[in-house]
Amino acid sequence: MKENDSSKSKSEKQQDLAVNKGSGYGKRLTTNQGVKINDDNNTLKAGERGPSLLEDFIMREKITHFDHERIPERIVHARGSGAHGVFKVTNPIPQFTKAKFLSEMGKETSVFVRFSTVQGSRGSTDMPRDVRGFAVKFYTEDGIYDLVGNNIAPFFINDAIKFPDFVHAVKPEPRNEIPQAASAHDTFWDFVSTSPETFHAVFWLMSDRCIPRSLRMIEGFGTHTFRFLNDSDESFFVKFHWKPVMGLQSLVWDENQKISGKDPDFHRRDLWDAIQVGEFPEWDLGVQILPEEDEFKFEFDLLDPTKLIPEELVPVQIVGRMTLNRNPDNFFAETEQVAFHPGHIVPGIDFTNDPLLQGRLFSYTDTQLSRLGGPNFHEIPINRPVVPVVNNQRDGMHRMTIDVDETSYHPNTINDNYPHQTSKAEGGFITHRERIDAYKVRARSKSFLDHYSQAILFYHSQTEIEKRHIADAFSFELGKVKRIEIRRNVIKMINQVNKDLAVYVAGKLGLDIPKDIPENMQHSPNAMPEDYNTIFVKPKLQESKALSILKNRKTDNIRTRKIAVLCDDGVDGDQVDAYKDQLNGEKAMVRVVASHLGTIKDENGKEVMVDDTDITTSSVLFDALFVPDGTEEMFETMSSDTSFKEFVRDTYLHYKPIAANGKAVGFIKKVIGEDLTTTEGIVEDGTVEEFVDAVKEARFWNR
Ligand code: HDE
């Protein structure tokens, strides 16, 4: 519970207290029928050692309920973490939309957000290389609005009918259900190699964006082009963006894999802990707005969800800020039962004909019917709008509402025609009037067939370090693919994007170096393994700065950065205290790591509290390391312990800041050994301020 949250009313605080104690606090155990239970520990038996009796309604009720505790997990995005918060308008945009939650300065709307991975099961690791779902439910005064997006801008396919194929390909393989939560296997890359429309999103997947440091440090994208409608019925195209106030940060792949073993709940825990200590994660909601008449202005199609609109072409305007300030009270009731749907829109927002979006509009209600067991999932507390729900829908599985009206149809005379419709002027929902004059066809627009131009733009917008990471990611993923033909085909596709990258990855896979594509054949179907029904467009824009993480780094503070103080008996306790005080003052999270729990004795015999041991934690769970000075004996002990040494080495090899004082300088240099290529990012006998500056930098890539 947040003690520092002064914005809470007394009754909210009392409610918090009750929640903390639990709803059963101070009460008696009963059955589901309200009968007080006398013995909850023993089954009714014929004699103490005799058979159990069928008539034991208490035991049978308890076990029956337990047997049905699980509901089907989500088909995709099964692994997720949620949080409550508030969205506040900072720059209202009534000129573009009449949606009330966006058009009044300072207006606050409650939200619930669920972040997720895509591929793995509900119990899978938080740490696959994977897209993160970023779904936001706004409880607006006009009803529920759901913005169900991802942390990557493009999607993998551009027609809904391909979604089951895409998901089957990326999920564990059907015969042995291997691998869990990983795209590094044959069926995924087989799909990629036969569906080049995936390739732009694949580049995002291979980039550092899909191994984030924290869910608090990811961007969100609505992906599709939506519509805004203002009070005068003018329509604008809009793309939604969430920009994390903390900036974007990622892990390195080796570190990411190790975290997956050391703490598979790493992201869930990080989000929970930050909110719990009052370090509330924040995002700005941005919109790219395009007038109707500009629909055909670009070399790509706005309706194609495998494309983004570069921010250089249409800038992102910030509308408001979302702050996540409360952890769920119950994971199942809220995070598991929340039901998002891109079709939950409010007046002022509307759809476009993006064929992926159109398919989603069918899918999300349909999936809740089997996942949440019937048509009344909107009555589950987390899904309820904050405005009254009044209509003639009745009954069905798990109906909570007790309808008392004489009629359940419209129009009627018996109930004076209530509930009745709402006029447009009074805020009734009106669909945008769009003229459609076309043949009914099963086809895809030719404007959707450019599969490479934005993959090229994305790759060219990265720094050299990020390009290296993409190259290594392709090498890892394709290296796990068993069928050589699939690897070869993907190399040919990479060659369409960048020759050097294709050469590097081919080298790692032991494949022939791809041939130069002659100038006049570049971006030509003839260079491809077969005709993929692709058109080749050379991107006009060479670079978009917004696409790189490192070009947009934020280095202004070290809030919530996790810092390990590695030491043991004999440490300089005053140094530990001084660093802890100052780093905690900067709102970093400092933990003392030693060889045993409890306390260690400093060189003067004073006790120092230990938070973790070198075997309960690991350097990969920290952002930076401080090794204080200490006695010769302390460094002898630490030098003879493999896990202490691994701690120091991994911190260095994962490019993270290190501060070392006194004898610790020699210790860390000896431990890092011949891998010590530069002392960049190592603060030797420096001040705490110098260390804080290094922690702000986060990584020192020149090592
Ligand atoms: Fe989803 N998607 N999706 N999706 N999606 C689901 O709905 C689906 C797509 C996204 O935290 C499911 O309630 C189809 C794009 C998120 O609860 C399901 C298509 C984007 C979440 C479904 C797409 C997303 C889902 C599974 C192609 C980003 C998790 C459980 C036509 C812009 C929401 C559920 C949460 C969940 C279907 C494509 C994001 C099966 C058919 C594009 C963040 O209905």
Side-chain angles (χ1 to χ4, degrees):
M1 195 179 48
K2 310 166 293 296
E3 290 179 356
N4 54 350
D5 188 359
S6 55
S7 63
K8 290 197 164 184
S9 68
K10 195 173 162 201
S11 72
E12 275 175 328
K13 281 183 184 154
Q14 273 167 350
Q15 214 181 341
D16 275 352
L17 206 64
V19 163
N20 250 16
K21 298 271 191 203
S23 49
Y25 185 74
K27 308 212 181 98
R28 307 291 176 90
L29 271 175
T30 73
T31 66
N32 286 338
Q33 307 304 320
V35 176
K36 290 198 185 77
I37 295 173
N38 167 260
D39 181 348
D40 189 44
N41 297 313
N42 294 293
T43 302
L44 191 67
K45 302 182 194 83
E48 280 166 13
R49 301 180 62 249
S52 303
L53 298 179
L54 193 59
E55 73 164 71
D56 187 352
F57 65 96
I58 296 180
M59 180 273 266
R60 276 190 295 114
E61 182 199 76
K62 185 175 175 183
I63 291 192
T64 305
H65 195 278
F66 168 77
D67 289 345
H68 297 268
E69 268 178 12
R70 293 288 169 271
I71 60 172
E73 65 175 36
R74 289 166 173 81
I75 296 152
V76 281
H77 298 267
R79 170 84 184 168
S81 306
H84 294 269
V86 65
F87 173 75
K88 188 172 179 182
V89 177
T90 51
N91 297 293
I93 45 167
Q95 68 277 32
F96 301 126
T97 176
K98 60 184 170 196
K100 294 204 192 85
F101 77 105
L102 296 177
S103 39
E104 217 178 279
M105 187 66 177
K107 187 172 207 57
E108 294 194 1
T109 302
S110 300
V111 296
F112 184 79
V113 179
R114 185 173 178 276
F115 301 105
S116 47
T117 57
V118 178
Q119 311 151 18
S121 314
R122 190 181 145 185
S124 61
T125 173
D126 276 347
M127 311 307 293
R129 172 178 292 285
D130 198 0
V131 170
R132 299 305 190 280
F134 193 134
V136 184
K137 190 175 281 295
F138 294 83
Y139 300 86
T140 88
E141 65 191 273
D142 288 325
I144 296 279
Y145 171 58
D146 286 345
L147 181 51
V148 197
N150 280 336
N151 77 326
I152 66 170
F155 200 66
F156 294 86
I157 48 168
N158 51 25
D159 189 315
I161 200 167
K162 297 306 298 167
F163 192 65
D165 300 292
F166 165 67
V167 173
H168 288 170
V170 73
K171 283 272 179 182
E173 301 206 354
R175 289 178 65 194
N176 55 13
E177 203 164 273
I178 297 175
Q180 178 59 240
S183 52
H185 59 107
D186 282 43
T187 54
F188 175 68
W189 288 98
D190 188 26
F191 185 80
V192 168
S193 72
T194 50
S195 312
E197 72 198 67
T198 55
F199 222 42
H200 181 206
V202 163
F203 265 77
W204 284 67
L205 180 63
M206 293 302 106
S207 80
D208 292 346
R209 288 178 182 259
C210 286
I211 46 170
R213 158 67 182 81
S214 160
L215 296 170
R216 300 176 290 132
M217 302 174 196
I218 59 173
E219 273 180 329
F221 300 90
T223 295
H224 313 281
T225 303
F226 290 88
R227 257 180 214 287
F228 269 159
L229 298 169
N230 67 13
D231 268 329
S232 324
D233 289 337
E234 281 173 298
S235 154
F236 302 85
F237 293 111
V238 55
K239 291 257 192 201
F240 292 103
H241 295 247
W242 289 110
K243 303 254 182 202
V245 173
M246 300 188 79
L248 286 159
Q249 294 235 2
S250 292
L251 299 165
V252 293
W253 181 230
D254 176 65
E255 177 191 23
N256 188 85
Q257 290 180 88
K258 286 177 176 162
I259 296 175
S260 187
K262 299 277 183 189
D263 185 6
D265 303 305
F266 185 71
H267 282 152
R268 180 177 284 181
R269 193 187 309 283
D270 168 276
L271 180 69
W272 180 276
D273 287 352
I275 294 175
Q276 213 63 6
V277 300
E279 284 289 331
F280 301 141
E282 293 182 312
W283 284 262
D284 285 327
L285 176 67
V287 290
Q288 285 175 297
I289 307 259
L290 205 73
E292 282 247 308
E293 53 274 21
D294 285 352
E295 181 170 359
F296 300 107
K297 187 174 156 186
F298 303 116
E299 56 198 340
F300 52 88
D301 194 330
L302 283 186
L303 298 188
D304 174 357
T306 68
K307 303 295 183 301
L308 52 83
I309 309 182
E311 293 186 26
E312 285 70 16
L313 303 185
V314 180
V316 173
Q317 316 176 30
I318 301 302
V319 184
R321 180 165 285 190
M322 175 171 77
T323 307
L324 299 184
N325 56 16
R326 186 160 64 86
N327 278 316
D329 295 319
N330 180 285
F331 183 90
F332 178 81
E334 299 173 278
T335 310
E336 194 59 13
Q337 292 203 112
V338 65
F340 292 97
H341 181 11
H344 293 160
I345 55 171
V346 291
I349 300 180
D350 211 336
F351 314 120
T352 59
N353 298 327
D354 172 342
L356 195 72
L357 173 59
Q358 295 280 322
R360 291 179 80 195
L361 297 179
F362 156 73
S363 174
Y364 286 67
T365 310
D366 183 47
T367 206
Q368 311 309 346
L369 294 178
S370 58
R371 202 171 70 80
L372 297 170
N376 289 314
F377 56 86
H378 60 283
E379 295 189 329
I380 296 172
I382 193 72
N383 295 325
R384 275 186 213 151
V386 289
V387 287
V389 173
V390 188
N391 59 41
N392 292 310
Q393 294 171 31
R394 289 292 182 273
D395 310 344
M397 291 282 194
H398 317 303
R399 183 70 169 175
M400 300 286 159
T401 309
I402 300 174
D403 296 296
V404 294
D405 309 77
E406 295 276 353
T407 59
S408 51
Y409 52 86
H410 180 267
N412 66 62
T413 59
I414 296 176
N415 211 20
D416 293 338
N417 208 20
Y418 283 112
H420 60 63
Q421 299 169 167
T422 303
S423 70
K424 184 175 155 195
E426 287 174 309
F429 183 87
I430 308 273
T431 292
H432 171 64
R433 244 168 81 91
E434 186 184 359
R435 187 183 158 81
I436 310 256
D437 182 5
Y439 291 105
K440 194 189 283 182
V441 289
R442 198 177 275 284
R444 216 174 288 197
S445 167
K446 282 213 168 33
S447 56
F448 279 36
L449 298 183
D450 154 30
H451 305 311
Y452 288 95
S453 66
Q454 291 208 343
I456 295 172
L457 174 67
F458 181 79
Y459 184 68
H460 288 170
S461 303
Q462 306 299 313
T463 60
E464 286 310 310
I465 296 154
E466 289 165 307
K467 284 182 182 165
R468 197 171 75 212
H469 293 168
I470 291 174
D472 287 339
F474 270 114
S475 307
F476 176 91
E477 296 264 322
L478 292 167
K480 297 275 184 181
V481 169
K482 296 196 188 75
R483 294 168 176 84
I484 292 181
E485 217 31 56
I486 297 175
R487 294 186 198 157
R488 275 207 191 101
N489 285 342
V490 179
I491 293 290
K492 285 181 189 159
M493 293 167 78
I494 299 175
N495 203 26
Q496 290 287 346
V497 174
N498 185 277
K499 170 88 195 294
D500 293 342
L501 178 63
V503 169
Y504 179 91
V505 181
K508 287 285 179 193
L509 299 177
L511 294 179
D512 293 342
I513 301 294
K515 292 195 186 73
D516 264 337
I517 306 175
E519 186 64 30
N520 63 351
M521 292 253 298
Q522 259 169 26
H523 312 296
S524 135
N526 303 333
M528 297 303 297
E530 59 187 78
D531 183 1
Y532 278 130
N533 210 6
T534 297
I535 53 167
F536 292 85
V537 176
K538 270 196 180 175
K540 284 196 195 115
L541 191 70
Q542 291 305 306
E543 194 190 312
S544 169
K545 182 173 167 252
L547 301 179
S548 153
I549 296 180
L550 292 182
K551 289 177 190 166
N552 297 285
R553 262 167 3 112
K554 283 206 175 166
T555 53
D556 49 347
N557 67 65
I558 64 164
R559 297 180 92 90
T560 72
R561 306 259 100 197
K562 289 188 77 183
I563 300 174
V565 179
L566 196 64
C567 54
D568 216 3
D569 288 309
V571 69
D572 179 337
D574 292 342
Q575 264 180 29
V576 175
D577 288 345
Y579 271 68
K580 268 181 84 168
D581 278 357
Q582 253 179 284
L583 294 170
N584 283 333
E586 300 275 344
K587 301 281 181 203
M589 295 171 163
V590 186
R591 293 182 76 82
V592 173
V593 182
S595 62
H596 58 85
L597 287 175
T599 54
I600 50 172
K601 290 232 164 48
D602 80 355
E603 50 195 4
N604 301 318
K606 193 178 78 182
E607 291 194 327
V608 177
M609 280 294 291
V610 176
D611 301 299
D612 294 300
T613 72
D614 56 328
I615 55 168
T616 61
T617 191
S618 159
S619 88
V620 293
L621 305 179
F622 291 90
D623 297 295
L625 169 66
F626 168 49
V627 188
D629 201 2
T631 58
E632 296 282 356
E633 294 75 47
M634 173 177 107
F635 287 107
E636 264 164 40
T637 321
M638 285 168 56
S639 300
S640 61
D641 190 323
T642 320
S643 47
F644 273 111
K645 289 192 283 188
E646 196 182 280
F647 208 112
V648 175
R649 270 177 62 77
D650 268 2
T651 306
Y652 181 81
L653 293 174
H654 295 145
Y655 314 98
K656 297 177 197 169
I658 302 176
N661 286 352
K663 293 184 272 309
V665 176
F667 164 71
I668 62 153
K669 286 191 173 164
K670 194 166 143 217
V671 169
I672 300 166
E674 60 187 18
D675 286 322
L676 188 78
T677 48
T678 163
T679 54
E680 238 180 85
I682 302 183
V683 182
E684 298 176 25
D685 284 317
T687 60
V688 190
E689 288 74 22
E690 284 171 295
F691 183 43
V692 168
D693 284 343
V695 180
K696 283 180 185 166
E697 280 297 312
R699 307 270 171 166
F700 295 86
W701 296 110
N702 292 331
R703 286 181 187 163

